[in-house]
Amino acid sequence: MDSSSSPGHDVVMYGTGSCVFCMLARRLLKGKGVSFDEIRVDQDPAQRELMERRSGRETVPQVFVGDRHLGGYTDLVELDRRGELDVLLGLVSD
């Protein structure tokens, strides 16, 4: 688990070790220089239940910035395509 966070923003990713979309989400966030806490739901069923309550979804990954749910990998890609992801991650101002 990476205990640091991006400037002014707490980024959390719920994921598993074997999920391809989790691997892609990790690569996307790391490629932007974003540090994040990763919660491995395959190792802790209680965290999976928390993820499902927070996100309303059962799939991984699920990414949050503070209390804001950004979604899964395809949601991150779409936010990035629209130029919104960097703002939400606190990398640039809007």
Side-chain angles (χ1 to χ4, degrees):
M1 182 177 304
D2 185 344
S3 61
S4 58
S5 61
S6 61
H9 292 76
D10 293 322
V11 180
V12 174
M13 183 180 104
Y14 293 89
T16 67
S18 61
C19 164
V20 172
F21 288 107
C22 297
M23 293 176 204
L24 292 169
R26 280 184 208 104
R27 183 183 307 156
L28 175 63
L29 293 170
K30 287 178 181 178
K32 291 187 166 292
V34 173
S35 297
F36 56 94
D37 289 326
E38 182 171 356
I39 299 172
R40 291 281 303 271
V41 299
D42 53 340
Q43 297 174 343
D44 188 343
Q47 289 295 331
R48 179 176 285 279
E49 290 176 21
L50 176 61
M51 175 201 78
E52 290 175 6
R53 280 196 310 271
R54 286 186 76 191
S55 69
R57 297 182 181 178
E58 297 178 359
T59 58
V60 290
Q62 294 302 322
V63 179
F64 290 82
V65 175
D67 290 330
R68 182 176 180 152
H69 179 228
L70 301 186
Y73 174 70
T74 55
D75 299 307
L76 294 179
V77 170
E78 179 60 22
L79 288 167
D80 197 33
R81 186 189 67 74
R82 293 194 317 242
E84 298 172 23
L85 185 58
D86 288 353
V87 173
L88 292 168
L89 293 172
L91 301 174
V92 297
S93 58
D94 51 354

